[in-house]
Amino acid sequence: MSDTLAKARAYEAVHGPQIPGDQRPGFHLSPYVGWMNDPNGFSFYGGMYHLFYQYNPYDTVWGPMHWGHAVSRDLLHWEYRPAALAPDAWYDHAGCFSGSAQELPDGRHLLMYTGVRRREDGACLQTQCLAVGDGNTYEKYAGNPVLDESALPPGANPCDFRDPKLWREADGSFRCVVGTCLADGSGCILRFRSPDGFCWKEDGVLEPNVHRYGKMWECPDYFPLGDKQVLLVSVVGAQDIPAEEGALPPGNHVLCLTGHQAPDGSLCVQSMHPMDCGLDFYAPQTLLAPDGRRILVAWMHSWHFLEERSEQPLPWMGQHTVPRELSLRDGRVIQAPIRELESLRGPVQFRGRLTIRGEQVLEQVRGRMLDLTVDLVPLEGAPQYEAVFLDLALDGEYRTTVSYHPASSLLRLDRSRSGAAPDQVLERSCTIPRRSGAVKLRAILDRFSLELFVNDGEQVLSCVLYTPAAADGVGIRVQGALTARIESYPLLP
Ligand code: FRU
């Protein structure tokens, strides 16, 4: 083991256990210590789920990229394993960037990641590299890098060539997709193939951005779902596109493109929608669970605010979303919190139907680890209500509000009173399909986050919250009157 990796493992073994459990998210993965970004190597191996992550153990800001590592049997209770990769080789001394994992035919665990280095002239180079291990310890492949700039189309930027997502075909051969930026400055997802996972060759373009959505596309994932092929991409430089050409609102953007695969291997895109309309969702990665479910996790944080500040600084920074089961409905990718989450439910707090006019604090419903479903329907015989506001993590000072206006069908998430720094992006909205004023909201709250699943996961809005733990109330305000069917459970990890 290199000194760099041994040093990281020794550091985290001392400092990780010092973080009290109640200062971390209850059931979302956070870094053992220090900083975390993208999920990496999300896979089922040796009877367990493995989730690695972009990791700087030494500080709560982005820095020398290692791979942190955790394992779980239910995707909710995570056990830390020692750091898996450190930037210790000539081809990755500037960082072991994102990548993925698969099991090899001989039972070993294969990691494929982006090695970043600086050439003597200062230029940056990103190449694809491998490490092989047993679920605990990984050794970098002697033949690294296995894909370098010679595998890129002419003019593509070798400093933007990253985040390989691996899978195995039915015939046992390996494929991966990797993000790059072409000579025209626009992102592109490339395909590569390998008979054994070690020897890789170009396999054409999966999908070029052609200046449609942002600039570079990173962290691709590509998989079948129902009768479609799905491509997820995280967009860099969305704000740099002039408004008249379709600028995306400030903050992170992950796009979900669905379609079918053409005979030449490229994607024939039939539809595109944002994967999450909230404020903190980036770099998602999926795995195929042994029972056939396609499960996604993403980094629940934002690149735009790297020094997010809570009122009390935390000894860790960054967390992943709750794992989500994906399915397809009317050509759209639907997300639901994994069903295992129900095993964390305590006794029901409240189940019933209320007529709400004006403002109502829901006395029996409270908590910052909560699984709350609020099914809002117009009140029979009454005029359509004008707007409804669901306040979460609420007390006299703080609230995070989800509002819905039936006339415009606009749903808005507002965390301006959540304790977030004022320079963060504080609100986002999306339009949802009109259903005569009816809308179903499932809020999954953890100590430092809210994930809102709208109409059984047709849309999701995720955000980090730095609201003090004492703000644990829930309230509903209505302009007009409506009926709310409510079901609420505390989550007890
Ligand atoms: C996305 C990303 C990846 C890169 C990693 C570096 O969040 O920029 O493209 O591999 O983070 O930490």
Side-chain angles (χ1 to χ4, degrees), residues 37-38 54 62 65 97-98 162-163 218-219 282-283 299 303:
N37 54 287
D38 315 353
Q54 289 286 279
W62 191 88
M65 275 296 112
F97 277 18
S98 285
R162 60 182 174 271
D163 311 334
E218 54 189 8
C219 302
Y282 203 69
W299 181 40
W303 271 126

Side-chain angles (χ1 to χ4, degrees), residues 112-124:
M112 188 174 198
Y113 68 99
T114 299
V116 184
R117 71 181 196 267
R118 295 225 162 258
R119 285 195 324 218
E120 269 162 25
D121 63 2
C124 150

Side-chain angles (χ1 to χ4, degrees), residues 158-453:
C159 191
D160 280 324
F161 180 33
R162 60 182 174 271
D163 311 334
K165 177 69 201 291
L166 267 177
W167 72 93
R168 276 185 90 185
E169 292 284 323
D171 67 2
S173 64
F174 290 77
R175 301 281 186 283
C176 75
V177 285
V178 187
T180 192
C181 205
L182 297 178
D184 65 358
S186 182
C188 180
I189 305 302
L190 299 173
R191 298 171 55 103
F192 298 89
R193 61 163 65 221
S194 166
D196 56 3
F198 292 90
C199 178
W200 287 89
K201 275 203 172 48
E202 300 91 288
D203 196 23
V205 167
L206 176 67
E207 175 68 6
N209 178 14
V210 208
H211 301 289
R212 285 171 298 169
Y213 311 109
K215 294 193 164 173
M216 165 78 183
W217 281 357
E218 54 189 8
C219 302
D221 197 349
Y222 185 57
F223 52 88
L225 191 67
D227 60 354
K228 303 271 186 233
Q229 286 295 129
V230 176
L231 170 64
L232 302 177
V233 290
S234 297
V235 175
V236 181
Q239 281 74 243
D240 302 342
I241 306 293
E244 62 275 13
E245 288 170 33
L248 296 163
N252 288 344
H253 292 277
V254 174
L255 303 178
C256 174
L257 298 100
T258 59
H260 61 265
Q261 195 164 304
D264 68 356
S266 65
L267 179 68
C268 275
V269 178
Q270 291 165 319
S271 73
M272 191 286 286
H273 60 86
M275 198 57 188
D276 189 296
C277 301
L279 300 151
D280 300 297
F281 180 96
Y282 203 69
Q285 194 170 94
T286 68
L287 63 65
L288 190 62
D291 61 8
R293 286 179 296 169
R294 178 62 62 174
I295 298 178
L296 171 145
V297 289
W299 181 40
M300 189 157 49
H301 199 94
S302 173
W303 271 126
H304 303 83
F305 299 93
L306 297 187
E307 290 173 61
E308 259 169 333
R309 297 177 295 279
S310 54
E311 285 167 0
Q312 294 135 8
L314 296 165
W316 55 271
M317 187 53 70
Q319 52 184 313
H320 289 166
T321 62
V322 77
R324 302 171 183 183
E325 291 177 22
L326 303 186
S327 59
L328 207 62
R329 199 189 305 148
D330 301 330
R332 191 182 172 94
V333 175
I334 304 296
Q335 303 177 62
I338 41 158
R339 59 197 73 166
E340 286 85 342
L341 191 66
E342 288 174 25
S343 70
L344 301 189
R345 285 177 173 176
V348 67
Q349 286 182 330
F350 182 80
R351 186 189 292 124
R353 173 195 279 261
L354 300 174
T355 299
I356 303 183
R357 292 185 172 84
E359 198 160 317
Q360 184 154 344
V361 171
L362 305 177
E363 292 300 343
Q364 294 107 311
V365 180
R366 74 176 36 246
R368 286 292 294 278
M369 288 194 275
L370 203 61
D371 184 350
L372 165 69
T373 300
V374 180
D375 202 348
L376 301 164
V377 286
L379 187 64
E380 244 175 77
Q384 177 67 285
Y385 65 92
E386 271 176 47
V388 56
F389 303 84
L390 171 67
D391 295 318
L392 301 157
L394 171 75
D395 68 4
E397 193 175 344
Y398 296 102
R399 63 167 57 139
T400 292
T401 302
V402 180
S403 62
Y404 180 60
H405 290 74
S408 57
S409 211
L410 202 70
L411 187 95
R412 173 174 294 139
L413 173 62
D414 177 355
R415 66 167 166 196
S416 56
R417 291 180 60 183
S418 72
D423 55 350
Q424 280 184 256
V425 181
L426 296 174
E427 63 168 60
R428 270 271 177 98
S429 19
C430 61
T431 309
I432 63 172
R434 231 173 263 271
R435 292 198 175 93
S436 319
V439 57
K440 184 173 173 190
L441 305 172
R442 181 172 175 197
I444 305 297
L445 276 163
D446 195 350
R447 293 191 182 101
F448 299 96
S449 63
L450 162 66
E451 290 160 277
L452 184 78
F453 295 81

